[in-house]
Amino acid sequence: MVDWTGREPLDSAEALLDETRALVDAAQRAECLLLLRAAEWADQHPAIDEDGAWEDTQVPAVQWDAPAEFALAAGLAHEAGTELIHQALELRHRLPDVWKRVQAFDLPAWRARRIAERTMGEPADVVAAINKKVAPIAHKVGLITLGRLIDEEMARLHAEERECQQFEALERRRVRLFDDISYDGVATIEIRADLKDALEFDDAVARIAAALREHGCAESLDVRRSMAVGLLADPQGALDLLSGTRSTGRKRKHIQLFVHLTDSALWGREPVGRLEWGQKPVFEQQVREWCGRTDTHLTVTGVIDLAGHQQVEAYEIPDRIATQVELLHQTCVFPHCRRPARRCDKDHLIPDSAGGTTCSCNLAPLCRRHHRLKTLKGWSYERLGPATYRWRSPHGLLFHRDPTGTVAITQSPPDPPDPPRYAAA
């Protein structure tokens, strides 16, 4: 009896474990080889300065358009391919002892890349010292140990610069809302703040969480602390809660969300819609809950038929067509790109100079970087169906892009899916 690979199944645990280890070793060797090939691709596409000479830097620069084609050949998004090339160059030119272990297939590529990512941007003498210290233990060093070693070398070799970096860190304080929204409408916020401000914020959250419990909220402490963040978005409401003053019911909050629901969802027959921010599914009941909150002002926009065709005679794109294109495609249509369509250029597939019109079927969202690749660097694409495209790279690689994702074309691509008919609410 043979298994799905066409081979006889292994008849002992020892044989299975031996082959498993062999497969892992082969996979790690392949990843190391891919890292080596990334450096070779960079060698074939060096950046040239304005005088026509190769740029001479410690880590050589690469032509701005070079990573895109290599990334797609490797099955990676543009950004991921760029990172792979930069990490390979960092290893080869500034971490030579670590690079030798990669070349000898003695170090997993993911560990080498993690080290390179951490040393990028650090001074050359610091990286040289890290190279000597880390190379012998690169197969087991963790991020915490690596960070400590870098901090020690910076303090020893660049004490004044490290002090300045501490001040500059204050300039990088931020509050960031991640787009990892789950289907139940829960999101993640990251706060980087001065320690004193962070402690005071934590104290305010704790006091509001305690006040919620005093007012009868039976949720856990962690849940009440998360609810406190929403209350702090309404300072007067938070003060009312802490002082024991009941809310007057005034609608204090206003937020703009783009939520897409089918007509079935509007009539209660479809439980799932889509939140445009983050491209995440959201329960129809969650949208009803948001709309029903007494402290939030609600604005409803008109419904747009995504399957309808709109056209104007002018080259400029009116808002109604731009919105339809954004809602239909959701993201940049370059292979693997996930930049939201609202932040993209609207590209005429057939240029105006070649007789193309400004209409729903001749427009597609391209982020600025991939718009430049298409315009200046030999990339081309054609529309196969609603939100479905076939891309060709400068070296003839083909990619099929539709709303479900990107695949390299090695055989006939699947039929394009029917476009969704969403309503914007």
Side-chain angles (χ1 to χ4, degrees):
M1 180 179 178
V2 297
D3 62 11
W4 62 273
T5 65
R7 301 185 306 167
E8 291 289 339
L10 300 175
D11 56 2
S12 70
E14 290 77 9
L16 193 150
L17 291 175
D18 288 342
E19 179 162 332
T20 298
R21 296 180 65 180
L23 290 173
V24 171
D25 181 67
Q28 291 183 349
R29 291 174 66 89
E31 290 178 356
C32 288
L33 191 57
L34 180 61
L35 197 57
L36 300 175
R37 295 294 180 257
E40 293 173 7
W41 181 261
D43 293 339
Q44 295 180 11
H45 300 83
I48 303 176
D49 63 24
E50 295 180 356
D51 296 327
W54 307 119
E55 293 187 2
D56 185 14
T57 58
Q58 187 180 15
V59 177
V62 182
Q63 296 174 21
W64 69 269
D65 60 309
E69 193 168 11
F70 179 84
L72 293 179
L76 302 172
H78 192 160
E79 292 80 2
T82 301
E83 290 178 0
L84 178 65
I85 292 173
H86 289 172
Q87 289 161 357
L89 294 176
E90 175 79 2
L91 286 162
R92 187 176 68 180
H93 292 272
R94 301 220 298 168
L95 296 161
D97 293 338
V98 179
W99 181 248
K100 288 178 182 177
R101 293 193 63 180
V102 174
Q103 290 178 303
F105 303 107
D106 183 43
L107 178 67
W110 68 268
R111 286 191 175 275
R113 293 181 61 186
R114 187 168 66 176
I115 295 171
E117 181 180 10
R118 186 61 183 82
T119 60
M120 284 182 182
E122 301 293 350
D125 53 353
V126 171
V127 178
I130 292 298
N131 173 64
K132 296 298 183 183
K133 288 186 176 182
V134 169
I137 59 173
H139 58 287
K140 59 182 179 180
V141 70
L143 289 178
I144 294 177
T145 300
L146 181 60
R148 176 178 56 79
L149 292 174
I150 292 175
D151 287 341
E152 289 177 357
E153 293 300 327
M154 281 295 299
R156 183 171 63 85
L157 300 173
H158 299 272
E160 292 185 4
E161 183 177 346
R162 178 58 85 192
E163 185 176 353
C164 291
Q165 288 177 348
Q166 291 176 346
F167 287 106
E168 291 173 359
L170 294 175
E171 298 299 323
R172 296 195 295 270
R173 289 171 289 182
R174 69 182 185 185
V175 176
R176 178 185 177 189
L177 176 61
F178 289 90
D179 63 355
D180 59 344
I181 301 174
S182 61
Y183 66 89
D184 50 9
V186 176
T188 301
I189 299 177
E190 176 192 64
I191 300 177
R192 292 176 55 88
D194 177 83
L195 177 59
K196 179 177 180 298
D197 293 337
L199 291 174
E200 291 178 349
F201 176 80
D202 185 72
D203 179 66
V205 168
R207 289 189 289 118
I208 293 175
L212 285 171
R213 183 181 61 181
E214 293 174 0
H215 282 76
C217 181
E219 300 289 352
S220 68
L221 175 60
D222 284 341
V223 172
R224 283 185 281 113
R225 284 176 61 86
S226 71
M227 294 169 64
V229 174
L231 286 169
L232 284 172
D234 175 18
Q236 185 59 52
L239 287 173
D240 291 345
L241 178 67
L242 291 173
S243 63
T245 304
R246 304 300 298 173
S247 173
T248 62
R250 179 170 58 88
K251 297 181 184 295
R252 300 186 179 96
K253 297 180 182 178
H254 181 275
I255 188 170
Q256 185 178 32
L257 294 175
F258 294 94
V259 182
H260 304 275
L261 299 171
T262 64
D263 53 355
S264 296
L266 295 177
W267 287 102
R269 296 191 295 268
E270 169 58 53
V272 180
R274 178 174 56 82
L275 187 63
E276 183 173 315
W277 189 81
Q279 306 298 327
K280 301 293 185 178
V282 61
F283 280 134
E284 167 266 341
Q285 184 58 41
Q286 180 67 66
V287 178
R288 293 181 184 274
E289 181 178 333
W290 287 336
C291 295
R293 288 180 56 161
T294 59
D295 62 345
T296 303
H297 178 71
L298 175 67
T299 300
V300 179
T301 62
V303 173
I304 298 176
D305 183 3
L306 301 188
H309 185 269
Q310 302 185 66
Q311 180 175 341
V312 294
E313 298 300 324
Y315 179 78
E316 291 74 17
I317 304 171
D319 290 344
R320 68 179 188 277
I321 296 183
T323 300
Q324 183 189 36
V325 171
E326 292 163 356
L327 296 178
L328 177 62
H329 295 85
Q330 305 172 26
T331 67
C332 168
V333 300
F334 189 84
H336 294 298
C337 187
R338 305 302 300 169
R339 187 172 297 277
R342 290 185 182 276
R343 299 204 297 268
C344 292
D345 300 334
K346 307 304 180 291
D347 179 52
H348 288 74
L349 280 79
I350 302 175
D352 179 71
S353 59
T357 60
T358 300
C359 66
S360 305
C361 63
N362 194 44
L363 294 171
L366 289 178
C367 69
R368 185 57 53 87
R369 174 169 54 178
H370 294 140
H371 197 174
R372 292 182 65 204
L373 284 178
K374 178 254 181 180
T375 303
L376 303 174
K377 293 298 180 177
W379 288 80
S380 62
Y381 70 129
E382 60 180 317
R383 177 175 172 142
L384 302 180
T388 302
Y389 301 91
R390 179 167 59 217
W391 281 86
R392 179 183 294 273
S393 78
H395 287 86
L397 302 181
L398 297 177
F399 301 91
H400 180 87
R401 168 67 190 257
D402 63 30
T404 64
T406 301
V407 294
I409 298 178
T410 57
Q411 56 186 7
S412 300
D415 294 332
D418 294 331
R421 298 181 66 94
Y422 284 114

